[in-house]
Amino acid sequence: MHNEELTQVAIAALEDLKAQDITTIDVRDKTSVTDFMVIASGTSSRHVKSLAENVLEKVKANGVRPLGSEGLEGGEWALLDLGDVVVHVMLPTTRQFYDLERLWRGAEQSRAQGAGE
């Protein structure tokens, strides 16, 4: 599966469970670690965990084996390493504190249409 397709699978999984403020950042020209970052917010710790688990379920159903995940227990911030795509799901306060969008300023960013609105 191409990284653009994997990004779309992750976004669709987040949209399925009403993630908020879904943003995709193209970091191909900025780092060799990954190609895309998908950042989304959940409304509660339980919602963050559910969103992350749904992404894992959907990518596995599409034949992708995640390289790792962090933070599923806590629910404040979950990180899913899908190789060429890294997914961050956070509580809004955590997202505001770390401000990954600002950190990756200069990289192409796009928002999912109608996500969680």
Side-chain angles (χ1 to χ4, degrees), residues 6 9 14 16 18-19 23 27 52-53 57 65 67 77-78 81 88 95-96 99 101 109 112:
L6 181 55
V9 169
L14 292 165
D16 283 349
K18 309 293 186 218
T23 301
V27 295
E53 288 173 346
E57 181 181 315
R65 185 172 179 201
L67 299 177
W77 182 349
D81 185 349
H88 299 272
R95 184 172 178 173
Q96 184 178 15
D99 199 3
E101 290 92 339
Q109 298 186 21

Side-chain angles (χ1 to χ4, degrees), residues 84-115:
D84 291 334
V85 179
V86 173
V87 179
H88 299 272
V89 184
M90 297 177 254
L91 290 174
T93 53
T94 304
R95 184 172 178 173
Q96 184 178 15
F97 180 79
Y98 288 102
D99 199 3
L100 294 178
E101 290 92 339
R102 183 184 53 78
L103 180 67
W104 290 100
R105 192 177 315 148
E108 183 179 332
Q109 298 186 21
S110 60
R111 297 203 182 268
Q113 299 299 314

Side-chain angles (χ1 to χ4, degrees), residues 38-55:
V38 177
I39 305 168
S41 297
T43 57
S44 66
S45 295
R46 183 177 292 172
H47 191 214
V48 167
K49 183 177 179 180
S50 295
L51 289 166
E53 288 173 346
N54 197 47
V55 171

